[in-house]
Amino acid sequence: MPKLDKFDIAILKILQEDARATNVEIAERVNLSPSPCLRRIRNLEKSGVLRGYRADIDRKEVGLGLTVFVEIKVGHHSRENARRQQESLLAIPEVVSCFLISGNADFLAEVVVEDLSAYEKLLTETLLALPGVTDIRSNFAIRSIKTGGPLKLPSL
């Protein structure tokens, strides 16, 4: 991991607020000239600190009204089974985030679909067919309070 300084942190904070900010706007706000600012942004991208840029889309406005947090338990634990499970989960477009966790389940996936009928189909045709799955528990979000919030970056 690269050592981040106050300029890098300031750039990241600005990009979290507005990923469409121009290099000139960012440079002005962090008190750098445009060339060094752009070099820093490119270095943050190249090092993997800055993984990409994306639009924050209102799920309901595009017809995706149901968010489900799915706990997935697998039977036989091995490195190969975990790899296969991860690859399978990555290939499901409805899974918008996924974590390997400790506790009662092995994976926690955030699934976004149109409605309960769409989730039932995904559950029965895809999730239950994942390799080694022994149990699935679904927790339905009643209302979204905060999604995709910015990271609390360190102050330098």
Side-chain angles (χ1 to χ4, degrees):
M1 183 178 121
K3 177 138 174 62
L4 303 178
D5 65 16
K6 68 178 185 174
F7 292 108
D8 296 324
I9 297 294
I11 290 167
L12 292 171
K13 285 180 179 179
I14 292 167
L15 287 171
Q16 281 193 125
E17 292 170 13
D18 180 9
R20 294 180 65 176
T22 67
N23 180 56
V24 172
E25 293 168 340
I26 297 167
E28 287 175 2
R29 288 180 60 187
V30 300
N31 295 318
L32 285 173
S33 60
S35 291
C37 183
L38 185 59
R39 263 193 309 275
R40 286 175 175 273
I41 292 171
R42 295 293 180 247
N43 286 339
L44 290 167
E45 292 169 346
K46 188 176 177 182
S47 68
V49 170
L50 187 54
R51 296 188 307 185
Y53 305 85
R54 64 179 190 166
D56 184 12
I57 299 170
D58 186 307
R59 297 168 181 192
K60 286 186 179 180
E61 291 297 321
V62 295
L64 298 170
L66 184 64
T67 299
V68 186
F69 296 94
V70 183
E71 297 175 10
I72 301 168
K73 187 164 182 60
V74 295
H76 180 69
H77 292 275
S78 72
R79 185 175 293 158
E80 178 60 24
N81 285 347
R83 184 193 60 75
R84 282 198 344 252
Q85 187 75 25
Q86 290 174 37
E87 287 175 358
S88 298
L89 288 163
L90 284 170
I92 302 170
E94 294 88 349
V95 174
V96 298
S97 65
C98 188
F99 304 89
L100 177 65
I101 61 171
S102 65
N104 293 328
D106 298 301
F107 294 92
L108 178 64
E110 180 182 5
V111 171
V112 179
V113 292
E114 296 87 345
D115 53 26
L116 189 56
S117 177
Y119 178 65
E120 178 186 11
K121 182 177 181 186
L122 179 73
L123 174 66
T124 57
E125 295 179 11
T126 305
L127 297 176
L128 288 170
L130 291 173
V133 169
T134 59
D135 190 30
I136 289 183
R137 303 213 181 235
S138 305
N139 297 288
F140 298 91
I142 296 170
R143 179 184 329 138
S144 293
I145 307 298
K146 181 178 182 180
T147 60
L151 297 174
K152 183 183 178 308
L153 296 171
S155 299
L156 299 178

